[in-house]
């Protein structure tokens, strides 16, 4: 067999259609691309009409019992036909050789405020070093010496502030610890099993984001199985950007084609810029555009403007404004867009908390007897008279309010005037409760955020009506 790249997928699928198959497939690289390609492989290897509960088994690599999977793979089926075992996020190819890759992914996710994903990669890196999160918290991962870091993770300690990693580890439940299975031994057992031979109708499909190509199992698959390399350079070089853009365009057009739609060529760059390099988000946003267009065959710039916020910051601002206006439906749509685009719930909570705190501060200023604030205050009077008097002797609030544009501040005062201080204080409590649930419970973050929005609007915190 051989090594395939992303552009070789049609060739690989065609070979399967002509009966050229393998008993072991390894797909590694960008997570969504791997899952999408794996589904295409499964559709060819085991058509829908031939599937039963017994001949297609999905295994989560994060929870995998290596021995159990291997025993299943060695077992003959009581029924005729192929059996496929596909393992997502397998750890069979992990070693300290991929620790740097995991760290880079954690840093990338942290920079995008995707704390959950950043923590996931961080925990995988600790797992390779056979060290628990609690041990790292006690040692303080940000304060590890360069020698200790290199000994644990196999690469040089990064420069800069690593405090974010310590914060993430401090927030996880105390019971979380690295897996105890010996992945290296498991990989050897898998290699030996395939060398000896497994039932010919059993097929193993492995998915991984990173692999150590020096491992014996990798070399065995390269010689006797199929490897599909779907890695994407996440860098900012011109070549990396071209590769990323090519992938995103392919996903955009293939998704729209399924709905019988196309998109204006001049609108494509706008769409890609707003979504960014998030393959799963590209597909979801393209589906939303196709549904929004209705009977129209072509997606326009106006459609993109209506459905996809210009930037994450603008979308977060729009979410705050929707809640302030009591527009529950609009708020839920914006929230769905943000979360589908990979914005972590904690980042959204931070924005809402800051917005409510500003409203509360402004509302307390409006309660002052001098200078007196009235709801019918015009902008010229606000700017020329009220604001200068309010600034006198209040330098401690300069960074919070006075750097804002006067008109933006005027609109903030008008919004704050709709609420009572008690309502805004309750709003902060609601946000804090949601934060505790997100950090300390197994509830889905989307459910927590939807519930928060409903409570804020229903209780008019902040908000004056439900529409």
């Amino acid at each position: 067999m051989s090594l395939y790249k992303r552009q070789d997928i049609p060739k690989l699928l065609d070979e399967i259609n002509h009966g050229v198959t393998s008993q072991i497939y390894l797909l590694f690289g960008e997570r969504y691309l791997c899952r999408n390609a794996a589904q295409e492989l499964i559709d060819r290897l085991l058509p829908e009409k031939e599937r039963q509960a017994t001949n297609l088994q999905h295994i989560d690599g994060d929870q995998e019992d290596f021995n159990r999977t291997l025993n299943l793979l060695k077992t003959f089926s009581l029924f005729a036909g192929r059996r496929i075992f596909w393992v997502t996020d397998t750890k069979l190819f992990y070693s300290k050789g991929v620790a740097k890759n995991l760290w880079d992914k954690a840093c990338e996710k942290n920079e995008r405020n995707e704390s959950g994903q950043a923590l996931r990669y961080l925990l995988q890196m600790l797992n390779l070093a056979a060290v628990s999160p609690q041990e790292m918290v006690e040692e303080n991962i940000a304060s590890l010496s360069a020698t200790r870091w290199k000994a644990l993770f196999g690469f040089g300690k990064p420069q800069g502030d690593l405090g974010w990693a310590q914060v993430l580890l401090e927030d996880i439940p105390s019971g979380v610890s690295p897996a105890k299975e010996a992945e290296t031994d498991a990989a050897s057992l898998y290699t030996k099993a395939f060398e000896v031979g497994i039932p010919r109708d059993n097929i193993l499909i492995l998915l991984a984001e990173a692999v150590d190509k020096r491992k014996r199992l990798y070399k065995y698959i390269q010689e006797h199985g199929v490897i599909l390399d779907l890695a994407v350079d996440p860098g900012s070089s011109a070549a990396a950007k071209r590769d990323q853009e090519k992938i995103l365009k392919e996903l955009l057009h293939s998704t729209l084609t399924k709905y019988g739609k196309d998109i204006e060529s001049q609108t494509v760059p706008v769409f890609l810029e707003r979504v960014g390099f998030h393959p799963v988000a590209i597909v979801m946003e393209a589906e939303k555009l196709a549904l929004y267009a209705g009977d129209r065959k072509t997606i326009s710039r106006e459609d993109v403007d209506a459905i996809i916020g210009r930037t994450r910051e603008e979308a977060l601002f729009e979410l705050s404004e929707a809640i302030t206006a009591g527009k529950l439906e609009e708020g839920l749509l914006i929230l769905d867009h943000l979360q589908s685009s990979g914005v972590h719930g904690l980042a959204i909570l931070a924005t809402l908390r800051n917005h409510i705190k500003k409203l509360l501060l402004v509302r307390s200023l409006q309660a002052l007897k001098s200078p007196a604030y009235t709801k019918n205050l015009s902008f010229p009077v606000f700017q020329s008279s009220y604001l200068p008097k309010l600034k006198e002797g209040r330098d401690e609030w300069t960074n919070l309010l006075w750097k804002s544009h006067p008109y933006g501040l005027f609109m903030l005062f008008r919004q704050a005037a709709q609420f009572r201080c008690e309502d805004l204080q309750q709003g902060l409590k609601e946000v804090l409760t949601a934060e505790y649930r997100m950090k300390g419970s197994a509830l889905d973050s989307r459910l927590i955020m939807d519930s928060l929005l409903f409570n804020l609007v229903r209780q008019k915190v902040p908000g004056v009506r439900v529409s």
Side-chain angles (χ1 to χ4, degrees):
M1 295 296 177
S2 56
L3 176 68
Y4 295 80
K5 295 285 189 177
R6 188 180 71 254
Q7 61 270 22
D8 300 322
I9 291 179
K11 175 186 174 184
L12 175 59
L13 297 177
D14 187 59
E15 289 175 354
I16 294 174
N17 289 337
H18 287 83
V20 181
T21 62
S22 170
Q23 283 193 290
I24 184 167
Y25 294 82
L26 168 62
L27 288 68
F28 74 90
E30 205 284 324
R31 199 160 185 252
Y32 176 80
L33 297 180
C34 286
R35 292 195 175 218
N36 202 42
Q39 193 60 60
E40 290 186 282
L41 287 179
I42 293 169
D43 289 342
R44 297 301 196 286
L45 292 167
L46 195 63
E48 189 74 37
K49 61 182 179 180
E50 299 178 15
R51 287 183 204 172
Q52 300 174 10
T54 56
N55 60 4
L56 177 60
Q57 295 190 37
H58 172 231
I59 301 165
D60 183 354
D62 285 329
Q63 308 294 328
E64 182 184 10
D65 180 333
F66 294 107
N67 290 325
R68 181 178 182 276
T69 302
L70 192 54
N71 288 335
L72 288 172
L73 200 59
K74 293 177 179 178
T75 304
F76 285 89
S77 175
L78 296 175
F79 306 96
R82 284 178 179 154
R83 286 200 304 166
I84 295 179
F85 305 88
W86 66 304
V87 184
T88 52
D89 301 317
T90 181
K91 305 298 185 295
L92 287 172
F93 302 90
Y94 275 15
S95 71
K96 287 189 179 181
V98 302
K100 179 63 166 59
N101 183 282
L102 295 172
W103 172 257
D104 290 341
K105 287 180 178 293
C107 293
E108 177 190 351
K109 296 299 182 181
N110 179 66
E111 290 173 359
R112 293 178 177 175
N113 290 319
E114 299 174 26
S115 303
Q117 288 297 312
L119 177 60
R120 176 173 170 269
Y121 290 117
L122 194 57
L123 290 176
Q124 289 178 4
M125 189 178 79
L126 297 188
N127 184 58
L128 295 180
V131 60
S132 72
Q134 292 73 35
E135 290 172 321
M136 273 296 93
V137 169
E138 291 174 3
E139 285 195 59
N140 192 333
I141 189 172
S143 301
L144 292 177
S145 67
T147 302
R148 173 67 169 155
W149 183 284
K150 183 68 178 289
L152 282 173
F153 307 120
F155 65 96
K157 183 178 181 180
Q159 300 296 317
D161 181 16
L162 308 184
W164 61 269
Q166 178 72 8
V167 171
L168 288 180
L169 294 176
E170 288 175 348
D171 285 342
I172 66 175
S174 58
V176 176
S177 60
K180 300 301 182 184
E181 291 86 359
E183 286 87 347
T184 302
D185 293 340
S188 298
L189 291 174
Y190 272 74
T191 306
K192 291 177 182 177
F194 276 94
E195 287 175 341
V196 172
I198 64 171
R200 64 183 182 85
D201 286 330
N202 289 352
I203 295 176
L204 178 64
I205 300 177
L206 300 168
L207 276 65
E209 290 188 69
V211 297
D212 185 343
K213 298 180 181 179
R214 298 170 299 179
K215 278 186 170 286
R216 182 183 168 194
L217 180 57
Y218 180 91
K219 293 177 180 178
Y220 174 85
I221 300 174
Q222 189 172 24
E223 184 175 352
H224 301 285
V226 170
I227 295 178
L228 182 54
D229 181 356
L230 297 173
V232 180
D233 185 352
S236 56
S237 66
K241 289 293 185 183
R242 283 196 300 271
D243 192 33
Q244 293 169 17
E245 183 176 309
K246 182 179 180 181
I247 292 171
L248 298 181
K249 283 183 177 179
E250 289 174 358
L251 290 173
L252 169 61
H253 288 295
S254 63
T255 303
L256 291 179
T257 299
K258 292 177 183 177
Y259 289 86
K261 308 290 184 184
D262 198 358
I263 185 170
E264 295 174 344
S265 58
Q266 66 270 24
T267 303
V268 173
V270 178
F271 175 86
L272 299 182
E273 185 273 332
R274 295 188 183 183
V275 180
F277 187 69
H278 300 286
V280 64
I282 287 287
V283 173
M284 294 181 68
E285 296 302 326
E287 289 176 344
K288 290 179 186 177
L289 284 172
L291 294 172
Y292 179 78
D295 295 332
R296 289 182 288 110
K297 297 295 184 182
T298 304
I299 306 296
S300 67
R301 171 64 183 270
E302 289 72 23
D303 297 325
V304 173
D305 288 340
I307 296 299
I308 304 172
R310 184 169 184 79
T311 63
R312 189 187 74 181
E313 289 73 22
E314 182 175 319
L316 287 168
F317 172 78
E318 290 173 352
L319 176 63
S320 299
E321 293 298 300
I323 297 175
T324 301
K327 298 179 179 178
L328 179 61
E329 183 177 356
E330 181 179 333
L332 289 172
L333 286 173
I334 298 172
L335 178 63
D336 180 68
H337 161 68
L338 285 167
Q339 294 181 311
S340 297
S341 299
V343 181
H344 195 274
L346 292 176
I348 301 173
L349 287 178
T351 299
L352 294 177
R353 179 171 54 249
N354 291 337
H355 181 65
I356 297 174
K357 284 173 67 176
K358 277 190 175 184
L359 289 173
L360 181 58
L361 174 57
V362 169
R363 192 67 188 91
S364 64
L365 292 175
Q366 291 173 345
L368 296 173
K369 294 183 178 179
S370 179
Y373 177 84
T374 59
K375 292 183 180 181
N376 59 357
L377 198 65
S378 65
F379 174 66
V381 175
F382 176 89
Q383 183 180 24
S384 62
S385 179
Y386 177 79
L387 196 55
K389 292 179 182 178
L390 192 61
K391 288 181 179 181
E392 293 175 3
R394 296 185 176 86
D395 294 336
E396 68 273 23
W397 289 330
T398 298
N399 290 331
L400 286 174
L401 294 174
W402 310 143
K403 288 186 178 181
S404 301
H405 189 279
Y407 188 77
L409 201 53
F410 172 70
M411 295 304 296
L412 186 65
F413 268 67
R414 292 190 65 177
Q415 285 182 351
Q418 303 174 41
F419 314 118
R420 300 179 305 161
C421 287
E422 293 84 351
D423 292 335
L424 296 169
Q425 289 171 338
Q426 180 61 32
L428 290 176
K429 291 180 182 178
E430 294 282 356
V431 172
L432 182 60
T433 299
E435 183 174 353
Y436 281 150
R437 288 176 177 170
M438 198 168 293
K439 290 181 177 180
S441 76
L443 287 175
D444 183 81
S445 62
R446 291 192 176 225
L447 180 62
I448 294 172
M449 291 302 301
D450 287 352
S451 176
L452 172 64
L453 258 66
F454 180 78
N455 288 338
L456 290 178
V457 174
R458 178 174 59 85
Q459 298 176 8
K460 302 180 181 179
V461 186
V464 294
R465 64 186 183 280
V466 177
S467 63

